Amino acid sequence: MTEIRTRIVGTGSYVAEGVLTNADLEKLVDTSDEWIVERTGIRERRIAKDGIATSDMAAQAVLNGLDMAGLKPDDLDMIICGTVTPDRPLPATAAYVQHKIGAKNNCPSFDIAAACAGSIYGLSIADSFIRGGQAKNVAVIGVELLSRVLDFEDRNTCVLFGDGAGAFILRGDTAENRGILSTHKFTDGSLANILKIPAGGSAMPASKQTVTDRLHYVHMEGREVYRYAVRYLADAAKAAIAANDFSAEDVDIVVAHQANMRILEAVSKRVSIPLDKFILNLERFGNTSSASIPIALDEGVRAGRVNEGDLMLMIALGGGISWGSALLRW
């Protein structure tokens, strides 16, 4: 029996129109362009205008990806949306996306919440459905509207994040040595509290006091996140490479979560893959969480950086703490 592998046949992205530069942030909090660039590598980030919802950005990213793939919304068998900034707690943002793009009503659409690792988790789920023969064409979305959950009085978090969406369009293929080779997912719940939005859920329902205490914004222990990110991203990269009997030298392209340039530089050294093999855009977009890998890949594909036959490594880490990797042959 011919083995089915999952291939990315289309990529799409959407970044919010508003631009917030480091100079703009200097007027809001005690920070400076030099301080931000030195610690993160970020110079500007995108901010969605009022009236734009998470599903609006996600829908546009999917439509752009379908156009590249030569597919229509009705061709989709499943929509998986990775986000921690949904339109509403109920229903799933993916349901709004399904309706907005005009997909058929027998296309199951659901959300996953793995924060910055959402696109890799979604890729893994889609891969299982496609290889198992339960779906042919699947859209995997990573989308975040983080500006709505940032405390612009906290210089340690508000300088990091931006708004955007990216999408993979996946389908089954029988071509030998093409497509997703393996995915690897991990979670350490003992570290859940180092990156969280404290209030708004069942553990701490919304109240006047939680709003007053600014508990509906992102709270992060930056040093702890940095420490674990470097270690776990490197470990996940090595796991994917070793599982497929390759070496670091075999990797042609790395699409990593665009969190912090210092993290990526450290990971590059640990896994012995030069930084010039990484697709980088965090200087312009900041950390778009689950959207960062599909946005970066879409830019790389459209710029001609990704070639047929390239061995591609994806790595990401986010709240949970959840992290993962994927290795694929383009």
Side-chain angles (χ1 to χ4, degrees):
M1 183 176 178
T2 304
E3 182 181 7
I4 296 175
R5 286 198 184 277
T6 303
R7 286 185 59 195
I8 298 175
V9 295
T11 61
S13 61
Y14 173 88
V15 291
E17 295 180 3
V19 177
L20 184 68
T21 67
N22 291 347
D24 295 327
L25 284 167
E26 290 176 354
K27 303 170 186 176
L28 299 175
V29 291
D30 180 17
T31 192
S32 68
D33 176 69
E34 181 182 13
W35 188 90
I36 297 170
V37 173
E38 179 184 347
R39 286 163 177 77
T40 70
I42 300 168
R43 296 185 183 276
E44 60 185 39
R45 66 289 295 147
R46 298 299 186 94
I47 305 296
K49 295 181 179 179
D50 291 346
I52 298 293
T54 298
S55 61
D56 294 322
M57 299 192 299
Q60 189 58 58
V62 172
L63 290 173
N64 291 342
L66 288 170
D67 183 65
M68 179 186 289
L71 298 173
K72 303 183 299 296
D74 268 356
D75 293 321
L76 290 175
D77 302 306
M78 182 176 291
I79 298 171
I80 303 170
C81 183
T83 187
V84 294
T85 51
D87 285 18
R88 297 177 173 86
L90 175 73
T93 296
Y96 290 112
V97 175
Q98 182 211 48
H99 175 66
K100 288 178 179 181
I101 67 172
K104 57 195 177 187
N105 61 12
N106 63 344
C107 172
S109 304
F110 57 91
D111 291 358
I112 56 173
C116 306
S119 59
I120 287 180
Y121 272 57
L123 199 68
S124 174
I125 295 167
D127 183 41
S128 295
F129 276 98
I130 290 172
R131 286 189 295 105
Q134 297 182 66
K136 183 178 180 180
N137 301 310
V138 179
V140 172
I141 310 162
V143 57
E144 303 294 357
L145 213 166
L146 288 158
S147 63
R148 308 275 169 84
V149 293
L150 292 179
D151 184 351
F152 282 93
E153 295 182 6
D154 176 11
R155 74 169 187 171
N156 294 311
T157 55
C158 72
V159 304
L160 299 176
F161 298 99
D163 301 334
F168 307 128
I169 307 301
L170 308 169
R171 75 178 310 169
D173 198 308
T174 57
E176 190 175 357
N177 296 322
R178 297 291 297 278
I180 296 173
L181 305 179
S182 66
T183 59
H184 308 263
K185 293 81 59 190
F186 311 90
T187 298
D188 184 349
S190 70
L191 301 173
N193 285 330
I194 68 174
L195 178 55
K196 64 182 179 180
I197 296 176
S202 61
M204 189 180 293
S207 67
K208 182 178 179 179
Q209 192 62 50
T210 62
V211 173
T212 299
D213 292 341
R214 310 181 77 79
L215 297 178
H216 294 270
Y217 296 126
V218 172
H219 287 236
M220 181 175 71
E221 297 178 27
R223 290 185 179 179
E224 288 296 286
V225 171
Y226 177 91
R227 181 161 68 95
Y228 287 107
V230 171
R231 182 199 308 176
Y232 287 160
L233 285 172
D235 288 349
K238 292 175 181 178
I241 294 168
N244 295 281
D245 297 321
F246 289 112
S247 67
E249 290 77 16
D250 295 318
V251 175
D252 298 301
I253 296 285
V254 179
V255 190
H257 169 46
Q258 310 285 302
N260 180 306
M261 184 58 75
R262 291 170 61 193
I263 291 174
L264 296 180
E265 290 170 345
V267 171
S268 169
K269 291 179 181 178
R270 286 201 179 202
V271 299
S272 301
I273 300 177
L275 201 61
D276 61 13
K277 290 188 175 183
F278 286 59
I279 295 177
L280 301 172
N281 63 12
L282 82 165
E283 180 181 34
R284 293 176 290 117
F285 299 140
N287 181 347
T288 55
S289 187
S290 65
S292 70
I293 285 181
I295 290 175
L297 178 59
D298 185 47
E299 284 205 322
V301 169
R302 294 177 190 274
R305 283 202 59 186
V306 182
N307 301 299
E308 184 173 337
D310 278 352
L311 188 64
M312 180 181 295
L313 172 68
M314 297 180 180
I315 49 174
L317 175 142
I321 291 292
S322 294
W323 68 100
S325 59
L327 195 72
L328 59 107
R329 180 73 70 180
W330 194 256

